[in-house]
Amino acid sequence: MTTMLKSRSPVQQRSSHNSQETSLWSSGFGMKLEAVTPFLGKYRPFVGRCCQTCTPKSWESLFHRSIMDLGFCNVILVKEENTRFRGWLVRRLCYFLWSLEQHIPPCQDASQKIMESSGVQNLLSGRAPGGAGEGQTPDLVEKEVQRILGHIQAPPRPFLLRLFSWVLLRVLNCLFLNIQLHKGQMKMVHKAAQAGSPLVFLSTHKSILDGILLPFVLLSQGLGVLRVAWDSRACSPALRALLRNIGGLFLPPEADLSLDSSKGILARAVVHAVMEQLLVSGQPLLIFLEEPPGAPGPRLSALGQAWLGTVVQAVHVGTVPDAMLVPVAITYDLVPDISCDVHQASSPLGLWRGALAVLQRLRSSWGCLHRVCVRVHLAQPFSLQEYTINARSCWSGRQTLEHLLQPVVLGQCTVVPDTEKEQEWTPTTGPLLAFKEEDQLLVRRLSRHVLHASVASSAVMSTAIMATLLLFKHQKGVVLSQLLGEFSWLTEETLLRGFDVGFSGQLRCLVQHTLSLLRAHVILLRIHRGDLVVVPRPGPGLTHLARLSAELLPAFLSEAVGACAVRGLLAGRVPPEGPWELQGIELLSQSELHRQILLLLHLLPQDLLLLQPCQSSYCYCQEVLDRLIQCGLLVAEETPGSRPACDMGRQRLSAKLLWKPSGDFTDSDSDDFEEAEGRYFRLSQQSRCPDFFLFLCRLLSPLLKAFAQAAAFLRQGQLPDTEAGYTEQLFQFFQATAQEEGIFGAAADAQPCRPPASPVPYICQPGQSGQVGAIHPTIHLQLEP
């Protein structure tokens, strides 16, 4: 009995501590505040439409407005109704019965068809370079082909797939609160699959769990077994063997060898034969176009481009008449901690180490009610054949960034040319080197186009909005009552820009749930009136908030670029600390704004901008200017006696045409800069404009400040000779500068507290009355999907 009392005492102490935290949290939310009902009326934007310029036929044929009225479904919510059986035993075995009822097509003898393909047969007969007859017998070449084929894929095993789906369903229900998928987006994908062309899903990459989660979601929606292109360098041999048996594909290391290497030629031929057989059989394919977070190098994945290049070449040679490309994005409230440990490790992820990480995550989330939510986004599919035809027709007249900037560097030109730039993102890998230069350019631009579509269709989660507010508006702390209003304001601004949000519910419940998820990165302080003060936790917490806030940047990127351009123009005229009224007096010409925006476009990395290849620089500059006018930051200033800017009837036709074809994206667009010489703007004097203007500038201030620090680093004397040494010294310089400026300051001098461990009392449970447009299974808001 004494032992039992001793064992119970820590539990009682922990429960009393949680009750104290709950009461403290309740005191902050005890104010009588109106719930936000609703955001922007009753409707949320439907995102994910394909590009109307590049794929007009797909834009019209694969979409119907009725799909916008379809709601969301929780993929991991499996009940008795999801099976064909009923009864009390079915309710306890519904996960297992559901996995047995999933449609898995029978495995075909793919290896035999690959060996009979024309490319492999040419190698075996010696008609192609790198095959038999060059010091190798046909038997040795056939064994080498079998070995490479075994490294790339294995026949999927239905029993293992069903067992893995059952286990994964239970694990996902423990890790996540829900996994939401829009039924309208899924209907578009099903409509594209009925056309008979193979589906190729091109996805962003937020976590290593994406390669397991997305095939599970699409299998549950009746699309069959999804073949996933994995990175062989990130997986151990045991894990690769398991992933191959459930549909994984791995690029052989010999494919990265030089063009004159016989092993490289043989490996690339086998890869193309595998891709051709996969597309002919109609199996869906998943390719990650984005590198995972924390991975060194550019954002666009070289491995993903290599796999996409094989698909493009298979359609180009006529192996399949067409392929339907589906941009995919996945967003988390918080990326699971499993992926953080994996990407930081130097060795590949092993089977047992991955299983141990999952078990540790399950143990930490056991009994935890503030679990994260996940949204899977499927953008509108489009035809690869249609995109290829339209994209090749508007390639003339575009130059690389090297050719554009070379006259400036040599002193032959003093003004940065306002023309389109084409910048290489990643070094070309072995499989892409085997393509023609025109095909390489097509793959790079197609990758950028799809990645832009995936990011544009991603929903903004509540943690991204909260992190942005804490990092860029209230880094020194904010009272909770003020935070509630600004959370509502930023959500409305996000929806107004055509971006969806991944949450719904009463305002107080949303903020509490979000702070519960960010409890390790924020500090809650109670003040004398019973309100709470939310302060970002210094140190690594700021870095984590910065990563979360990056998810919101695409929604405000155009306005942020325009605000920084305006601030750059005003910096030489008005002191930055001067009053807003003084800055509003200055006139800004449209040509000056265009050139300043263009300078920022050349400075900012393409990984951040994600400009569509079909959009010219002039069009983007005009779009940025239109956004600033639309949000009310800039107002047109008409000089006395001049013709109003909106008066289009008095324009006289000049010798030069006033219109251009839609495919004419050459540097002739720069002629429009001279046409805007007489248009002037000034900053608006509305009361809300100064705060919003500074907020937009702060979104890009960390990156622009890093460029300024890099310029200061270049002015130092001794610089290393090697690129690795240069990068290391620059990183050390950044760290030293950050510590000198006090970015990682000391914690606030007050008694901190955490959000309660159980947010259930403040969250509406499913099934309660008064719920309209439920999106979040436990948090609801009057929003129509």
Side-chain angles (χ1 to χ4, degrees), residues 72-311:
F72 292 81
C73 65
N74 185 7
V75 178
I76 59 176
L77 184 60
V78 176
K79 297 182 179 179
E80 177 185 2
E81 292 78 10
N82 300 106
T83 64
R84 296 178 298 168
F85 309 98
R86 298 293 182 268
W88 65 270
L89 184 60
V90 176
R91 288 191 290 271
R92 287 158 177 79
L93 300 177
C94 57
Y95 286 3
F96 180 73
L97 295 176
W98 175 86
S99 62
L100 292 179
E101 293 180 358
Q102 296 305 306
H103 173 67
I104 298 178
C107 300
Q108 302 175 356
D109 189 10
S111 59
Q112 184 63 28
K113 294 183 179 180
I114 293 172
M115 295 298 297
E116 295 174 356
S117 64
S118 59
V120 176
Q121 287 296 321
N122 290 336
L123 290 173
L124 295 178
S125 61
R127 292 191 298 268
E134 298 183 2
Q136 295 182 351
T137 61
D139 293 338
L140 293 177
V141 175
E142 184 175 357
K143 290 182 180 179
E144 185 66 16
V145 170
Q146 293 285 359
R147 184 192 66 81
I148 296 175
L149 184 58
H151 184 279
I152 297 175
Q153 69 171 7
R157 304 186 181 277
F159 173 75
L160 187 59
L161 281 169
R162 299 185 189 278
L163 179 63
F164 189 77
S165 299
W166 172 63
V167 174
L168 187 60
L169 181 60
R170 301 190 66 89
V171 171
L172 293 178
N173 274 279
C174 296
L175 288 179
F176 304 118
L177 194 60
N178 57 55
I179 299 177
Q180 296 289 339
L181 177 66
H182 197 283
K183 297 179 182 178
Q185 296 176 350
M186 199 66 236
K187 188 174 182 179
M188 288 192 302
V189 176
H190 279 297
K191 187 176 181 180
Q194 294 174 359
S197 300
L199 296 177
V200 181
F201 297 89
L202 305 172
S203 174
T204 59
H205 204 180
K206 303 299 181 184
S207 168
I208 198 172
L209 292 178
D210 297 351
I212 300 175
L213 181 60
L214 290 176
F216 171 82
V217 171
L218 297 177
L219 176 65
S220 67
Q221 301 302 312
L223 290 179
V225 180
L226 189 67
R227 309 305 295 267
V228 184
W230 290 86
D231 187 0
S232 58
R233 298 168 299 180
C235 305
S236 66
L239 184 58
R240 288 201 300 266
L242 174 63
L243 295 176
R244 274 195 293 264
N245 288 324
I246 59 176
L249 298 174
F250 293 91
L251 197 68
E254 295 86 358
D256 287 331
L257 297 178
S258 59
L259 293 177
D260 55 355
S261 173
S262 59
K263 292 184 178 180
I265 295 174
L266 184 62
R268 286 188 285 269
V270 177
V271 169
H272 286 291
V274 169
M275 182 59 63
E276 291 175 358
Q277 190 277 330
L278 190 147
L279 295 176
V280 169
S281 62
Q283 301 180 58
L285 174 66
L286 173 62
I287 299 174
F288 291 105
L289 286 181
E290 189 180 29
E291 292 287 353
R299 179 178 183 179
L300 201 63
S301 172
L303 180 64
Q305 291 184 91
W307 282 109
L308 181 59
T310 58
V311 176

Side-chain angles (χ1 to χ4, degrees), residues 609-653:
L609 295 173
L610 286 180
L611 299 180
Q612 291 182 334
C614 60
Q615 187 180 32
S616 67
S617 293
Y618 174 78
C619 291
Y620 186 78
C621 292
Q622 189 61 42
E623 178 185 347
V624 170
L625 187 58
D626 292 342
R627 290 287 187 92
L628 292 179
I629 298 173
Q630 186 178 15
C631 68
L633 286 178
L634 288 182
V635 292
E637 180 69 18
E638 297 178 357
T639 58
S642 62
R643 179 177 51 83
C646 59
D647 187 3
M648 304 299 295
R650 298 184 182 180
Q651 287 189 359
R652 293 181 301 175
L653 292 176

Side-chain angles (χ1 to χ4, degrees), residues 44 251 392 718:
R44 62 170 65 244
L251 197 68
R392 294 182 188 273
Q718 298 292 334

